[in-house]
Amino acid sequence: MADASAYAENIKKYANGGYNQAAAEKIVGHLGIALRNKDSSIVACSDSGELDRVREKWCRGKLGLAEKQGELDAAIKTVCDRMNAEGGQKSRVTFYYLLAEHFGKLTELAS
């Protein structure tokens, strides 16, 4: 299993339903080597191309969501707003975790 402990406190700060360690570990494992690079380990909410990739690669690809683009974009904006206190340093692990939580996919992701 991937080590999600480095992200646990940040996730707990924003998560609504407690902390699902298994889901966090799956996210860390999914992101893998990308987390070693500072630029790829954060989400830039001001970059529309970045948010498009989050929608297509994470929401549609990994989570398998079939919601309309507007609904996915609204959820991404909600997470951006929720993590606003992080400034430009929004952890990709936390961001992805919150999207999975929003769409009720944490349990499925953890299995």
Side-chain angles (χ1 to χ4, degrees):
M1 279 279 169
D3 183 15
S5 63
Y7 307 96
E9 288 307 311
N10 192 256
I11 290 170
K12 289 175 186 177
K13 185 166 50 170
Y14 294 104
N16 286 328
Y19 175 65
N20 184 324
Q21 181 176 345
E25 288 172 349
K26 289 286 178 118
I27 293 168
V28 170
H30 171 74
L31 291 170
I33 199 164
L35 295 175
R36 294 183 188 168
N37 180 314
K38 183 167 172 56
D39 285 342
S40 60
S41 70
I42 60 173
V43 173
C45 287
S46 60
D47 182 343
S48 62
E50 164 101 35
L51 300 181
D52 289 346
R53 282 188 298 279
V54 168
R55 181 185 64 239
E56 297 305 320
K57 301 288 187 185
W58 177 249
C59 294
R60 291 202 193 284
K62 183 65 176 170
L63 297 181
L65 299 172
E67 282 78 355
K68 293 182 179 185
Q69 180 175 329
E71 188 175 344
L72 295 174
D73 289 345
I76 290 168
K77 182 180 181 334
T78 297
V79 173
C80 284
D81 292 346
R82 203 156 140 200
M83 293 184 71
N84 195 42
E86 302 291 313
Q89 304 297 313
K90 293 168 184 61
S91 161
R92 188 169 300 276
V93 173
T94 301
F95 200 93
Y96 283 15
Y97 184 99
L98 295 176
L99 283 170
E101 179 184 64
H102 177 88
F103 288 104
K105 296 285 191 172
L106 287 177
T107 302
E108 181 180 319
L109 191 61
S111 60

